[in-house]
Amino acid sequence: MATLQFWKPGTTGPGSTLDRANETDDSVISSAPTTSLSIQAARERLPIHKYRQNLLWKNDSLGTLILFPTGWASEGNIIACTQPRRVAATSVAGRVASEVGTIIGDEVGYTIRFEDVSDKERTHILYMTDGILFRETLVDPLLSRFSVIMIDEAHERSVYTDLLLGILKKIRRKRPSLRIIVSSATLDAMSFVDYFSSGGLENEVTVASLEGRMYPVEIAHLEQPTPDYVKTAADTVWNINLQQSRGDILVFLTGREEIDRCLEKLAERLPNLPRNASPLKLFALHAGLSIQEQLSVFEPAEPGTRKVIVSTNIAEASVTIDGIKYVVDSGFVKVRTYNPTTSLSSLVTVPISLASAIQRAGRAGRTMSGICYRLYTSSNLKSLSPTTQPEITRTDLTTVILQLKSLGVDDLMKFEWVTSPPAESVLRALEGLVASGMVDEDGRLTVVGEKVAECPVEVNLARMLFASKDYKCGDEILTIAAMTTVQDVFIIPDGSAGALAELERRKFTAEEGDHLTLLNVYNAFVRYGRSSSWCKSHALSFRALSRAISIRSQLKKYMQRFDLPTESCQGDAKRLRQCLVSGYWRNGARWVADGTYRSVRGNTVLHVHPNSVLFTRKPRSGWVIFHEMEETKKTQIRILTEIEPDWLLDYGHKFYPKHGGS
DNA sequence: GAGCACTGC
C-alpha cells in the first residue's frame, strides 16, 4: 500500500490548517465563528451593511440566517426569502415558523413548484425557490406584494438567482421603498456590493455575508500531486481508519463511475482489515440512487463501525450528513458547459473553486471538530479560481431570453447582468427564438411567444403543446412533454442487474421510438396504480414517474388556460409523430450505413445514446427527430423518434433556405 | 455497441 505524504494537521506547514483568513478576504468574510454572529459583528465586517432598528438578524443553530421582521411587514406587505433549492425553502420555513411560534402556512409559509403552503391574508414571511419568485415577475413585474426581498445563497449563482438580481436592480429604481438583502456565504460578497453600487444603489441594498456555526477543521494537503485521485482517495480512507479516532468519513469524487471504483477498491481490502480496526460500512451517494438508497446514508453507524460515504458534489450543498469528522476532497467536480457555436452541451471534469474547497472542508466540522484531507497540494490550492463560473455563462439561454423579453427587457445588451453571458450564446438563443416563431424579425415577442414564455417547459415542448390542437393529440403530447422533462426514468444498474433492467425496459418499447416508449411507461405506471413496488419490479424510477405526474397536471392547467384541447389521438401514432416534428423539426437526423446519424443542420456525426430503443435498430424510414444532443466522448443524441423526411419540410422552409442550411 | 455533476419553473 502506498504511503501518503500529507502535511500533518495541526503543524505549521504551508496550508496545514484551515485558516480562513488566509484563504479569503477577511475584510468581507468573517473567520470561522464558533459562536453566533451578533448584529455588531455583522456590521463591522460588512462594508455597506445598512442596519435598521426594526430588523433583527439572527444566526440560528444550523447556520442559516433568519430574519425577524418587526416593522417592515406591518403594512400587510410580505417579506420574501429565496433559496436555490426546494428542500432549503421548505426546511428553513419550518424552522422559522417554530422560532416565531406559529404553524407553517400561517404567518410563515413557503411556495415551491407544485406546493404552496402560505396564506394570502396571513403570511408575512414567505420562503420560496428563486425560480418561483422569478416566475412571479412575469405576472407582477414590480413584485408589488413584497416589502423586503432577501436572496439567500447568492454565491451559488444559479441562473434564477442572477436573473432575479438583475430584475431587482431594475425594480429598485421604480420602487425605492423595496428593501433588498443579498446573502452570500463566500468570497464574492464584494462582487454583489460592486454590482449594486454601480447603479447608485449603495447604502440602499444590504449585502450580508455570514458564516454558519462551525467547529474547527484542520486541513492536510498532499505533498506531491497524485496521478490517480480515486486510488489515493481509497488509500486515504484506509489510513484514516487505521490511524485516526472514531468518526465517519465523507469522500468527494466527480461521478458514479469513480464512486463505484473507489468503493470496489475499499471492498477488496476489507478482508485484510486488522482485527483491532473498526469495520467499515461503505456507502455511495449520488443523485441517480433511489430514495431508500440515499436515506441509508443517514442511518447512524452501528457502534464500533465507521461509515464511509463516497459522494458526488450532492453532499457539498444539497445534502447534509451529520457525524462526519473526516473529509477527503479529490479537488475535482463535473460541470455542465455549453458551446454556443455548436449548440452542444457537455459535462467536463474540472478543478473545483476555492469556495468549493472551503465548503467541502466545512462538511467535516458541522457537529465536532474534524480534519479535511485534500488530494492536491497547497500550491494547487493557490491556483484555484476563487468562485465557480456563474451558470448563466455556460448554459443555453433560449428560455432565459424568452422570459426576459416577456418582462419587457428587449435590449438584452442593456440588461444589467451580474455577470454577462457570452454574446454568442445570446445571439444563438435569439436566432432559435426567431426560427421557432417566438420572436419577430425586429426582436419583439410574438403572440405565441408571449404565451410560451409563461409555460414551465422548454420552448420546443411548449410549441408542441400548441401544435397538438391541430393534430388532435393534446392528451399524449402532455404526457410526452412531462416524461421528456424528467430524467432517469429507467434505472440501469451495473453488471448483471443492468442486463435484467434492460429486459424490463424492452417490455415498454414502441416501434416508433423513445417518445412513444415513454408514453407507454407513463400509461402503464398510471394503470398499475402509481405503485412504487411496481416501479421497482420494472426497473423504473418511482421518483421520476411521480414527478412526471405532477408536471403533467401543471401543464394541463396551462393548456386549459389557453383553450388548448387535451383530446386523445386514439392510438394514431402517425399524427402524434407529426406533432412531435412541430417541436423538434430543428433536431432532424438521417441514418447512415455505419449505424450513426448525420444531423440535418450541419451534417454532424451523431451517435445514438445506448438507452434509446433505436440504439440497435435502423429506423425504417431512415430519418429521426431527437430530443437533445450532448457532447460526451462522441456527440450523442437522446430520445429519438422515427419520422418521414417530408414532414421536416413543412417547417424547414421557414428556416433552411434563408440561413443557408447551417 | 455503451453511459449520466447538480439544481429549478
Side-chain angles (χ1 to χ4, degrees):
Chain A
M1 180 179 62
T3 311
L4 298 169
Q5 293 296 318
F6 283 102
W7 287 101
K8 295 291 180 295
T11 65
T12 51
S16 60
T17 57
L18 178 58
D19 183 349
R20 282 165 177 256
N22 282 347
E23 293 185 350
T24 67
D25 176 356
D26 64 357
S27 68
V28 179
I29 303 293
S30 57
S31 58
T34 49
T35 55
S36 296
L37 274 173
S38 65
I39 293 166
Q40 192 60 36
R43 286 176 74 191
E44 281 170 3
R45 289 191 163 91
L46 298 168
I48 62 158
H49 178 81
K50 188 158 189 184
Y51 172 60
R52 298 279 168 146
Q53 283 298 333
N54 54 0
L55 188 73
L56 175 65
W57 296 95
K58 188 179 168 190
N59 218 28
D60 82 341
S61 56
L62 292 165
T64 304
L65 186 73
I66 291 179
L67 279 175
F68 284 93
T70 52
W72 288 348
S74 60
E75 305 133 29
N77 284 328
I78 300 169
I79 293 179
C81 179
T82 72
Q83 297 285 336
R85 280 174 295 282
R86 294 159 54 95
V87 274
T90 55
S91 64
V92 179
R95 291 211 303 278
V96 173
S98 73
E99 292 240 11
V100 173
T102 67
I103 58 158
I104 188 98
D106 195 48
E107 205 175 317
V108 180
Y110 67 85
T111 308
I112 57 178
R113 190 182 189 184
F114 312 130
E115 236 183 301
D116 182 5
V117 184
S118 70
D119 184 287
K120 279 264 178 309
E121 303 292 313
R122 300 182 54 85
T123 299
H124 288 307
I125 309 177
L126 183 59
Y127 284 82
M128 43 210 316
T129 44
D130 46 19
I132 284 272
L133 185 58
F134 179 73
R135 194 152 278 279
E136 187 158 337
T137 64
L138 296 177
V139 185
D140 177 7
L142 291 179
L143 294 176
S144 54
R145 69 181 178 125
F146 302 107
S147 55
V148 180
I149 292 174
M150 172 168 162
I151 310 292
D152 203 357
E153 311 282 1
H155 60 278
E156 290 189 20
R157 302 296 301 275
S158 77
V159 167
Y160 286 122
T161 299
D162 274 27
L163 288 174
L164 266 181
L165 290 170
I167 295 293
L168 285 176
K169 191 166 175 181
K170 209 169 124 94
I171 292 177
R172 188 58 184 66
R173 296 211 174 84
K174 292 183 181 158
R175 269 190 70 200
S177 63
L178 175 68
R179 318 309 318 181
I180 300 168
I181 299 159
V182 181
S183 172
S184 164
T186 45
L187 324 177
D188 54 359
M190 209 54 214
S191 68
F192 296 120
V193 173
D194 292 342
Y195 173 70
F196 281 107
S197 307
S198 72
L201 295 179
E202 74 264 40
N203 297 325
E204 299 293 341
V205 171
T206 305
V207 177
S209 174
L210 303 178
E211 298 281 346
R213 176 201 289 254
M214 227 189 78
Y215 293 86
V217 175
E218 294 173 304
I219 300 290
H221 290 99
L222 277 183
E223 286 185 337
Q224 295 294 325
T226 168
D228 180 355
Y229 59 75
V230 176
K231 180 177 178 301
T232 309
D235 291 343
T236 305
V237 167
W238 194 259
N239 289 348
I240 292 170
N241 190 42
L242 295 184
Q243 294 161 10
Q244 297 288 350
S245 59
R246 43 189 288 216
D248 297 335
I249 306 171
L250 173 63
V251 182
F252 284 102
L253 295 176
T254 71
R256 176 179 149 179
E257 193 248 301
E258 286 180 5
I259 289 168
D260 290 345
R261 192 148 58 88
C262 183
L263 287 171
E264 262 169 45
K265 282 179 191 294
L266 286 167
E268 278 167 16
R269 281 204 204 162
L270 284 183
N272 305 326
L273 199 66
R275 285 220 344 256
N276 59 350
S278 306
L280 295 177
K281 294 279 175 205
L282 303 176
F283 295 94
L285 180 60
H286 53 80
L289 298 174
S290 72
I291 293 175
Q292 292 105 309
E293 287 169 314
Q294 287 196 5
L295 286 178
S296 67
V297 164
F298 294 93
E299 285 161 19
E302 294 157 39
T305 68
R306 196 196 291 265
K307 274 201 299 190
V308 178
I309 298 146
V310 186
S311 172
T312 61
N313 226 25
I314 194 171
E316 190 180 300
S318 310
V319 167
T320 304
I321 309 153
D322 282 333
I324 298 294
K325 190 174 173 65
Y326 306 98
V327 162
V328 178
D329 172 16
S330 66
F332 286 92
V333 67
K334 269 187 195 164
V335 290
R336 182 167 291 284
T337 60
Y338 173 72
N339 179 344
T341 312
T342 55
S343 304
L344 282 172
S345 73
S346 55
L347 274 179
V348 284
T349 300
V350 295
I352 57 173
S353 66
L354 189 51
S356 278
I358 294 169
Q359 176 75 12
R360 287 180 176 189
R363 293 285 151 172
R366 291 188 62 86
T367 42
M368 63 193 114
S369 64
I371 306 175
C372 173
Y373 297 83
R374 289 178 173 158
L375 305 183
Y376 42 97
T377 67
S378 54
S379 65
N380 288 154
L381 182 81
K382 293 191 185 83
S383 63
L384 299 181
S385 84
T387 53
T388 309
Q389 281 267 49
E391 192 187 357
I392 195 112
T393 64
R394 46 187 175 81
T395 193
D396 179 355
L397 296 174
T398 306
T399 306
V400 165
I401 286 175
L402 183 69
Q403 290 178 339
L404 283 176
K405 292 224 172 249
S406 176
L407 274 171
V409 180
D410 272 321
D411 190 343
L412 295 159
M413 294 304 166
K414 279 196 187 148
F415 184 69
E416 292 189 65
W417 305 95
V418 186
T419 301
S420 298
E424 206 180 346
S425 294
V426 177
L427 291 175
R428 175 56 58 136
L430 272 173
E431 179 199 50
L433 287 168
V434 172
S436 58
M438 301 295 137
V439 170
D440 66 23
E441 297 285 345
D442 301 324
R444 273 190 296 265
L445 221 52
T446 60
V447 175
V448 67
E450 282 290 353
K451 294 176 182 170
V452 167
E454 284 181 52
C455 187
V457 287
E458 58 178 276
V459 173
N460 283 345
L461 295 173
R463 266 178 60 100
M464 275 164 26
L465 293 178
F466 280 87
S468 70
K469 188 178 180 179
D470 302 331
Y471 294 100
K472 299 183 171 45
C473 57
D475 183 64
E476 288 81 5
I477 288 293
L478 264 176
T479 304
I480 289 172
M483 287 293 279
T484 50
T485 300
V486 299
Q487 298 135 15
D488 304 317
V489 170
F490 301 104
I491 298 169
I492 309 288
D494 272 347
S496 58
L500 280 174
E502 201 90 12
L503 286 176
E504 285 300 328
R505 197 156 51 90
R506 290 206 187 140
K507 293 180 183 166
F508 303 103
T509 297
E511 282 270 295
E512 294 86 354
D514 299 308
H515 290 95
L516 274 72
T517 301
L518 288 169
L519 178 64
N520 288 342
V521 170
Y522 182 95
N523 289 339
F525 178 59
V526 172
R527 197 176 324 121
Y528 289 96
R530 306 174 181 186
S531 121
S532 68
S533 57
W534 180 85
C535 286
K536 201 165 184 198
S537 62
H538 291 83
L540 297 167
S541 164
F542 176 68
R543 189 171 30 174
L545 285 165
S546 305
R547 200 175 146 72
I549 298 245
S550 302
I551 294 174
R552 189 182 187 283
S553 76
Q554 191 187 32
L555 292 177
K556 189 170 181 180
K557 282 185 202 141
Y558 170 89
M559 284 183 74
Q560 286 161 345
R561 187 149 62 84
F562 287 107
D563 284 326
L564 295 166
T566 53
E567 65 209 305
S568 166
C569 68
Q570 309 291 344
D572 185 346
K574 184 179 171 189
R575 227 158 65 206
L576 193 49
R577 288 186 296 139
Q578 285 173 323
C579 186
L580 290 174
V581 174
S582 74
Y584 290 123
W585 57 270
R586 303 222 301 159
N587 293 352
R590 170 176 52 89
W591 188 87
V592 292
D594 62 359
T596 64
Y597 286 79
R598 296 291 177 277
S599 62
V600 175
R601 273 198 301 162
N603 213 32
T604 318
V605 178
L606 303 172
H607 297 261
V608 180
H609 191 282
N611 274 5
S612 172
V613 300
L614 289 174
F615 182 60
T616 49
R617 208 155 49 74
K618 170 187 186 290
R620 286 158 301 186
S621 69
W623 292 78
V624 294
I625 45 89
F626 57 88
H627 178 68
E628 61 185 0
M629 160 167 98
E630 191 181 60
E631 184 99 70
T632 55
K633 282 165 199 160
K634 308 164 188 169
T635 303
Q636 283 193 331
I637 48 178
R638 289 182 60 240
I639 313 184
L640 282 62
T641 285
E642 182 183 330
I643 57 152
E644 297 301 326
D646 51 334
W647 296 350
L648 286 172
L649 299 177
D650 293 342
Y651 302 92
H653 69 90
K654 292 180 199 159
F655 185 71
Y656 294 116
K658 209 163 165 180
H659 294 259
S662 63

PDB file of all heavy atoms in Angstrom, chain A residues 476-487:
ATOM      1  N   GLU A 476     -51.772  12.965 -25.341  1.00  0.00           N
ATOM      2  CA  GLU A 476     -50.494  12.247 -25.435  1.00  0.00           C
ATOM      3  C   GLU A 476     -49.308  13.192 -25.393  1.00  0.00           C
ATOM      4  O   GLU A 476     -48.273  12.881 -24.779  1.00  0.00           O
ATOM      5  CB  GLU A 476     -50.445  11.414 -26.728  1.00  0.00           C
ATOM      6  CG  GLU A 476     -51.342  10.177 -26.724  1.00  0.00           C
ATOM      7  CD  GLU A 476     -52.815  10.489 -27.051  1.00  0.00           C
ATOM      8  OE1 GLU A 476     -53.106  11.662 -27.381  1.00  0.00           O
ATOM      9  OE2 GLU A 476     -53.652   9.579 -26.965  1.00  0.00           O
ATOM     10  N   ILE A 477     -49.445  14.345 -26.038  1.00  0.00           N
ATOM     11  CA  ILE A 477     -48.318  15.283 -26.058  1.00  0.00           C
ATOM     12  C   ILE A 477     -48.034  15.808 -24.653  1.00  0.00           C
ATOM     13  O   ILE A 477     -46.876  15.998 -24.274  1.00  0.00           O
ATOM     14  CB  ILE A 477     -48.600  16.447 -27.050  1.00  0.00           C
ATOM     15  CG1 ILE A 477     -48.512  15.940 -28.490  1.00  0.00           C
ATOM     16  CG2 ILE A 477     -47.610  17.599 -26.855  1.00  0.00           C
ATOM     17  CD1 ILE A 477     -47.137  15.510 -28.939  1.00  0.00           C
ATOM     18  N   LEU A 478     -49.079  16.001 -23.873  1.00  0.00           N
ATOM     19  CA  LEU A 478     -48.887  16.395 -22.470  1.00  0.00           C
ATOM     20  C   LEU A 478     -47.999  15.385 -21.738  1.00  0.00           C
ATOM     21  O   LEU A 478     -47.059  15.757 -21.031  1.00  0.00           O
ATOM     22  CB  LEU A 478     -50.247  16.432 -21.762  1.00  0.00           C
ATOM     23  CG  LEU A 478     -50.963  17.759 -21.643  1.00  0.00           C
ATOM     24  CD1 LEU A 478     -52.330  17.529 -21.003  1.00  0.00           C
ATOM     25  CD2 LEU A 478     -50.163  18.735 -20.817  1.00  0.00           C
ATOM     26  N   THR A 479     -48.331  14.116 -21.917  1.00  0.00           N
ATOM     27  CA  THR A 479     -47.555  13.070 -21.243  1.00  0.00           C
ATOM     28  C   THR A 479     -46.115  13.052 -21.742  1.00  0.00           C
ATOM     29  O   THR A 479     -45.167  12.974 -20.953  1.00  0.00           O
ATOM     30  CB  THR A 479     -48.193  11.685 -21.502  1.00  0.00           C
ATOM     31  OG1 THR A 479     -49.545  11.734 -21.070  1.00  0.00           O
ATOM     32  CG2 THR A 479     -47.454  10.608 -20.759  1.00  0.00           C
ATOM     33  N   ILE A 480     -45.958  13.160 -23.052  1.00  0.00           N
ATOM     34  CA  ILE A 480     -44.607  13.106 -23.617  1.00  0.00           C
ATOM     35  C   ILE A 480     -43.781  14.305 -23.130  1.00  0.00           C
ATOM     36  O   ILE A 480     -42.610  14.166 -22.776  1.00  0.00           O
ATOM     37  CB  ILE A 480     -44.670  13.039 -25.160  1.00  0.00           C
ATOM     38  CG1 ILE A 480     -45.199  11.668 -25.584  1.00  0.00           C
ATOM     39  CG2 ILE A 480     -43.299  13.302 -25.773  1.00  0.00           C
ATOM     40  CD1 ILE A 480     -45.489  11.537 -27.065  1.00  0.00           C
ATOM     41  N   ALA A 481     -44.409  15.477 -23.081  1.00  0.00           N
ATOM     42  CA  ALA A 481     -43.692  16.663 -22.603  1.00  0.00           C
ATOM     43  C   ALA A 481     -43.228  16.457 -21.161  1.00  0.00           C
ATOM     44  O   ALA A 481     -42.089  16.760 -20.814  1.00  0.00           O
ATOM     45  CB  ALA A 481     -44.579  17.900 -22.701  1.00  0.00           C
ATOM     46  N   ALA A 482     -44.108  15.912 -20.329  1.00  0.00           N
ATOM     47  CA  ALA A 482     -43.740  15.689 -18.924  1.00  0.00           C
ATOM     48  C   ALA A 482     -42.640  14.638 -18.809  1.00  0.00           C
ATOM     49  O   ALA A 482     -41.691  14.800 -18.037  1.00  0.00           O
ATOM     50  CB  ALA A 482     -44.969  15.260 -18.127  1.00  0.00           C
ATOM     51  N   MET A 483     -42.747  13.575 -19.596  1.00  0.00           N
ATOM     52  CA  MET A 483     -41.786  12.468 -19.482  1.00  0.00           C
ATOM     53  C   MET A 483     -40.401  12.833 -20.009  1.00  0.00           C
ATOM     54  O   MET A 483     -39.395  12.342 -19.506  1.00  0.00           O
ATOM     55  CB  MET A 483     -42.316  11.229 -20.218  1.00  0.00           C
ATOM     56  CG  MET A 483     -43.455  10.539 -19.494  1.00  0.00           C
ATOM     57  SD  MET A 483     -42.928   9.787 -17.938  1.00  0.00           S
ATOM     58  CE  MET A 483     -42.207   8.250 -18.530  1.00  0.00           C
ATOM     59  N   THR A 484     -40.328  13.673 -21.033  1.00  0.00           N
ATOM     60  CA  THR A 484     -39.003  14.050 -21.532  1.00  0.00           C
ATOM     61  C   THR A 484     -38.338  15.058 -20.591  1.00  0.00           C
ATOM     62  O   THR A 484     -37.125  15.209 -20.606  1.00  0.00           O
ATOM     63  CB  THR A 484     -39.078  14.668 -22.942  1.00  0.00           C
ATOM     64  OG1 THR A 484     -40.069  15.685 -22.940  1.00  0.00           O
ATOM     65  CG2 THR A 484     -39.388  13.642 -23.993  1.00  0.00           C
ATOM     66  N   THR A 485     -39.155  15.731 -19.787  1.00  0.00           N
ATOM     67  CA  THR A 485     -38.601  16.723 -18.859  1.00  0.00           C
ATOM     68  C   THR A 485     -37.932  16.070 -17.660  1.00  0.00           C
ATOM     69  O   THR A 485     -36.918  16.563 -17.175  1.00  0.00           O
ATOM     70  CB  THR A 485     -39.729  17.658 -18.371  1.00  0.00           C
ATOM     71  OG1 THR A 485     -40.287  18.311 -19.510  1.00  0.00           O
ATOM     72  CG2 THR A 485     -39.195  18.702 -17.432  1.00  0.00           C
ATOM     73  N   VAL A 486     -38.508  14.957 -17.185  1.00  0.00           N
ATOM     74  CA  VAL A 486     -37.859  14.287 -16.053  1.00  0.00           C
ATOM     75  C   VAL A 486     -36.709  13.427 -16.578  1.00  0.00           C
ATOM     76  O   VAL A 486     -36.733  12.959 -17.696  1.00  0.00           O
ATOM     77  CB  VAL A 486     -38.839  13.407 -15.243  1.00  0.00           C
ATOM     78  CG1 VAL A 486     -39.946  14.249 -14.665  1.00  0.00           C
ATOM     79  CG2 VAL A 486     -39.403  12.282 -16.084  1.00  0.00           C
ATOM     80  N   GLN A 487     -35.703  13.275 -15.759  1.00  0.00           N
ATOM     81  CA  GLN A 487     -34.563  12.468 -16.197  1.00  0.00           C
ATOM     82  C   GLN A 487     -34.570  11.135 -15.476  1.00  0.00           C
ATOM     83  O   GLN A 487     -35.244  10.962 -14.487  1.00  0.00           O
ATOM     84  CB  GLN A 487     -33.249  13.201 -15.877  1.00  0.00           C
ATOM     85  CG  GLN A 487     -33.110  14.509 -16.596  1.00  0.00           C
ATOM     86  CD  GLN A 487     -32.610  15.592 -15.644  1.00  0.00           C
ATOM     87  OE1 GLN A 487     -32.128  15.304 -14.556  1.00  0.00           O
ATOM     88  NE2 GLN A 487     -32.738  16.826 -16.067  1.00  0.00           N
TER      89      GLN A 487
END
